[in-house]
Amino acid sequence: MTATTTKVQIKQSPQLDTKIKLRDIINTLPKEVFVKNSKKAWSKLIINVLLVGLGYWALAVSPWFVLPFLWIFVGTGLTGFFVIGHDCGHRSFSNRNWVNDLVGHLLFLPLIYPYHAWRILHNHHHKHTNKLKVDNAWDPFTSEDYAQFSPLVQWFYRRLRGWFWWVGSIAHWASLHFNWWQFEGKQRQQVRFSVLVVLLGGGIFLPTLLITTGFWGLVKFWLLPWLVYHFWMSTFTIVHHTMPEIPFQSESEWHEASAQLCGTVHCKYPWWVEFLCHDINVHIPHHLSSGIPWYNLRQAHQSLKENWRDYLYESEFSWSLMKKVAEQCHLYDEQNNYRTFKTYHHSN
């Protein structure tokens, strides 16, 4: 299935045989895609840091009419920070866990994102991808869920599942990643440490920025790049698993191999976005095995196209694609995958 900038084609993927296991699909991938390459990992990290640093320097010296382009550039570069930290969370950046955790914390710090909280919750998403009411990343409400909420919550939910999808990751970040008491044992200690790191870092950096550059400096150097970062986080996350043709399944019917192969979207973005965000959009092989480093995702995806082409959902980032998601993927309906808010309110 493909989508162009002018028209999104809709075609339901063939059903994967339930006898096929996730391991059967993984075994068709070349062995070399699982191999970590320290040179590639560290060189791309250094390039990412230098580009973001260049962007901040340009923000400091450029005239006002250049600033919107620089906010987009810096915010997208900060999304690259997150993607490398994302690999750290999956232990696919380094063979040493302490290196993964150190780099992950440092890269997440400018985003005010508690690393261990995200790592633990995100691994839950990988384990339960598209499992209705269990997956914790953009799991859609059913009509029954929606009916139980107050009018105010319903209003916010309609915004987040509609044209304000791009702030969804802010709500996800704020509501799930700072309450360490929801975790147990060692995980609670790890999450509390990560929360304290970002609170301390943010507590020092943001007031210092405000004092030295004023309110406009806080907006210019932090808030607007941070909002661009969340635009990409929200967009990547919702597009990766939310299409009218892609079902969520109840726990009793959920099939792991189908969810990871057929329930994940490969979306093509402009080349500069894919470069700065380290090919996170090449997402299907990442869900088959989170141990594949980002620099091997394209090779793994090519292998999937050779062996499993009929089961892949591929699209292209465009206005028509986001219009499709924002206008159709509202409340989950197991028979039709989704129903819109409009049809729900008309029937009630």
Side-chain angles (χ1 to χ4, degrees):
M1 286 171 290
T2 60
T4 67
T5 55
T6 58
K7 183 178 180 180
V8 179
Q9 295 180 338
I10 298 176
K11 178 183 176 184
Q12 184 69 47
S13 293
Q15 294 295 311
L16 189 68
D17 189 333
T18 56
K19 294 181 181 179
I20 296 176
K21 305 299 183 185
L22 184 61
R23 177 55 56 184
D24 298 329
I25 304 172
I26 293 174
N27 286 340
T28 68
L29 296 173
K31 303 303 180 187
E32 57 266 26
V33 303
F34 300 95
V35 178
K36 300 182 184 72
N37 185 315
S38 296
K39 183 178 179 180
K40 289 183 179 179
W42 286 102
S43 61
K44 195 62 180 290
L45 171 58
I46 293 171
I47 291 171
N48 198 161
V49 171
L50 291 175
L51 288 174
V52 169
L54 177 64
Y56 277 119
W57 172 81
L59 279 174
V61 301
S62 296
W64 66 268
F65 55 83
V66 180
L67 296 183
F69 302 99
L70 292 173
W71 288 325
I72 293 172
F73 175 78
V74 173
T76 309
L78 289 173
T79 310
F81 278 21
F82 186 92
V83 175
I84 296 178
H86 164 274
D87 265 37
C88 291
H90 287 304
R91 310 312 195 193
S92 56
F93 180 82
S94 170
N95 288 320
R96 295 179 174 86
N97 283 347
W98 73 267
V99 174
N100 286 314
D101 290 344
L102 176 61
V103 173
H105 275 94
L106 291 175
L107 292 176
F108 274 35
L109 185 56
L111 309 172
I112 319 297
Y113 221 124
Y115 167 77
H116 278 307
W118 171 84
R119 177 182 64 81
I120 294 166
L121 292 171
H122 184 68
N123 283 331
H124 178 89
H125 158 65
H126 271 266
K127 186 176 180 180
H128 302 284
T129 302
N130 287 27
K131 187 183 292 184
L132 194 63
K133 299 188 178 182
V134 180
D135 190 353
N136 59 3
W138 288 93
D139 184 37
F141 288 163
T142 64
S143 298
E144 293 74 20
D145 296 329
Y146 180 75
Q148 294 175 3
F149 291 109
S150 68
L152 180 61
V153 173
Q154 290 181 354
W155 184 88
F156 275 110
Y157 185 70
R158 289 196 301 271
R159 306 286 87 74
L160 295 180
R161 296 300 299 203
W163 289 107
F164 287 85
W165 87 86
W166 47 275
V167 297
S169 66
I170 298 177
H172 189 262
W173 160 80
S175 62
L176 294 178
H177 295 85
F178 290 87
N179 49 342
W180 62 75
W181 50 90
Q182 69 174 310
F183 301 89
E184 300 292 340
K186 182 180 179 181
Q187 289 185 347
R188 176 179 291 189
Q189 297 175 11
Q190 291 175 326
V191 173
R192 180 169 53 197
F193 172 78
S194 294
V195 170
L196 293 176
V197 166
V198 297
L199 290 180
L200 180 62
I204 294 173
F205 170 73
L206 295 179
T208 301
L209 184 63
L210 181 63
I211 292 169
T212 56
T213 65
F215 180 75
W216 172 237
L218 183 67
V219 172
K220 175 181 176 181
F221 291 108
W222 180 75
L223 180 61
L224 289 174
W226 186 77
L227 289 176
V228 172
Y229 151 72
H230 272 290
F231 169 86
W232 287 121
M233 275 291 293
S234 299
T235 302
F236 289 147
T237 305
I238 195 169
V239 168
H240 281 163
H241 300 285
T242 306
M243 290 291 159
E245 307 84 9
I246 293 181
F248 277 65
Q249 292 182 315
S250 62
E251 193 164 5
S252 61
E253 297 179 350
W254 187 77
H255 179 234
E256 183 181 28
S258 296
Q260 307 295 8
L261 181 66
C262 310
T264 304
V265 175
H266 172 91
C267 186
K268 183 180 180 181
Y269 290 81
W271 69 267
W272 59 273
V273 176
E274 296 184 356
F275 174 77
L276 289 172
C277 296
H278 312 300
D279 294 334
I280 190 60
N281 57 295
V282 187
H283 207 61
I284 301 175
H286 172 66
H287 260 270
L288 294 171
S289 174
S290 59
I292 301 174
W294 81 82
Y295 42 81
N296 291 334
L297 290 174
R298 289 190 181 275
Q299 181 184 356
H301 186 74
Q302 184 58 41
S303 174
L304 291 175
K305 292 180 71 170
E306 293 170 0
N307 294 291
W308 305 92
R309 180 183 297 270
D310 290 341
Y311 300 98
L312 306 184
Y313 193 114
E314 298 184 322
S315 64
E316 185 172 335
F317 181 65
S318 64
W319 170 258
S320 59
L321 179 70
M322 298 315 300
K323 185 173 185 289
K324 175 182 175 182
V325 173
E327 292 185 350
Q328 297 183 42
C329 300
H330 295 163
L331 297 170
Y332 196 73
D333 180 276
E334 292 190 19
Q335 292 183 339
N336 302 302
N337 289 354
Y338 287 96
R339 64 185 302 193
T340 66
F341 293 124
K342 184 177 181 179
T343 58
Y344 170 83
H345 286 290
H346 281 175
S347 63
N348 290 272

